[in-house]
Amino acid sequence: MSQPRIEIFETGAEVAQAALDFWVDLLARSQGDFWVSLAGGTTPKELYRKMADQKLNWGRLHLVWGDERFVPHDHADSNYRMVKEAWLDRVSGLGGIVPWSIEASAEDSANHYEERLRQRPHGVDLCLLGMGDDGHTASLFPGTAALHEQQRWAVANWVEKFHSHRLTMTYPYLNLSRQVLFLITGAGKAPALRQVLRLEEHPAAAVRGREGTTFFLDRAAAAELD
Ligand code: 6PG
């Protein structure tokens, strides 16, 4: 796989600013509709808050979510709710906001998202991702079935440690992305990050953008990189 670009910043705030600059620059250099797959969790919150302060042609922007917890959109754990509160409640006129629908079963939710993603034959322009302390990305957790999915673009993935399903894009779809940008901060990520970047181990090591893959790290997360 092509080598990713790695940039290390002093703080998480600088990572968020660099990610904003990366996103706005890619948007400016693109034409027409611009599709973004959003990362969940806590790291990207500051980036989404910064996006709300931008003066952009919002109508070009179409949002999908790289993964979601199988909970209602108003649940505290919902990635959709996190993005809504950090960003979407403060802007209007986006071209498209496409969260995972939470249906009667996780499989129904995944089938619905698969149909929605397939309406657009190619991947997103920008795929934002985080990484867990265990090297997972999106909801592609070590030892789970979704890691082996080679056809579908969206699946329900049973995660034993949570004793619940997660909804996640799969490698076939994530790797259709033009650009992949990982935002990873905090000392807890350092051991897994070394294994991802130096040994190409863990799920996060298997995601690459067609035109490029970039890791924006803070110094704490990069502490074990030689
Ligand atoms: C999620 C995310 C997940 C996240 C990592 C890192 O639904 O939790 O999509 O992949 O990016 O777990 O999470 P933090 O940013 O909270 O460390």
Side-chain angles (χ1 to χ4, degrees):
M1 290 189 123
S2 60
Q3 284 307 306
R5 177 164 73 95
I6 300 168
E7 287 205 41
I8 299 170
F9 302 88
E10 284 305 316
T11 64
E14 289 179 11
V15 166
Q17 184 58 51
L20 176 71
D21 296 343
F22 184 100
W23 183 345
V24 171
D25 173 64
L26 187 61
L27 178 64
R29 289 187 289 111
S30 304
Q31 306 293 327
D33 289 349
F34 189 87
W35 286 69
V36 184
S37 176
L38 300 173
T42 57
T43 303
K45 274 185 188 174
E46 182 56 28
L47 167 59
Y48 300 144
R49 290 191 194 104
K50 287 177 177 289
M51 276 302 281
D53 298 328
Q54 301 309 302
K55 298 283 180 278
L56 297 172
N57 175 358
W58 295 117
R60 293 183 56 202
L61 224 47
H62 295 256
L63 307 178
V64 289
W65 274 251
D67 73 323
E68 186 54 281
R69 291 78 182 275
F70 188 54
V71 295
H73 285 167
D74 59 2
H75 190 284
D77 291 346
S78 166
N79 284 332
Y80 167 72
R81 173 176 164 180
M82 180 272 286
V83 176
K84 183 175 183 295
E85 290 177 347
W87 174 18
L88 303 182
D89 284 347
R90 298 169 52 207
V91 298
S92 61
L94 267 79
I97 299 174
V98 189
W100 293 73
S101 60
I102 304 304
E103 317 261 359
S105 73
E107 284 74 14
D108 288 349
S109 294
N111 291 338
H112 192 103
Y113 219 55
E114 174 90 14
E115 287 167 16
R116 187 63 184 81
L117 294 177
R118 294 276 179 183
Q119 288 173 14
R120 188 169 183 273
H122 42 281
V124 296
D125 298 288
L126 173 62
C127 179
L128 299 171
L129 288 170
M131 187 196 77
D133 292 1
D134 59 1
H136 82 263
T137 192
S139 281
L140 299 170
F141 286 85
T144 61
L147 298 179
H148 308 293
E149 178 57 51
Q150 294 297 314
Q151 306 303 322
R152 288 174 56 88
W153 287 357
V155 296
N157 191 29
W158 179 258
V159 186
E160 187 56 35
K161 73 175 177 180
F162 299 135
H163 205 67
S164 69
H165 281 103
R166 285 285 190 90
L167 304 170
T168 189
M169 290 176 178
T170 60
Y171 290 129
Y173 189 71
L174 293 171
N175 289 335
L176 283 179
S177 307
R178 275 179 56 208
Q179 290 286 343
V180 170
L181 175 60
F182 282 92
L183 306 180
I184 303 171
T185 62
K189 311 288 176 78
L193 189 60
R194 184 181 60 77
Q195 292 166 333
V196 166
L197 291 176
R198 295 297 177 255
L199 307 175
E200 297 207 339
E201 291 175 359
H202 300 317
V207 180
R208 286 288 185 274
R210 288 186 288 115
E211 296 177 13
T213 307
T214 302
F215 283 75
F216 282 174
L217 314 171
D218 71 354
R219 196 154 296 288
E224 295 191 17
L225 298 181
D226 44 15

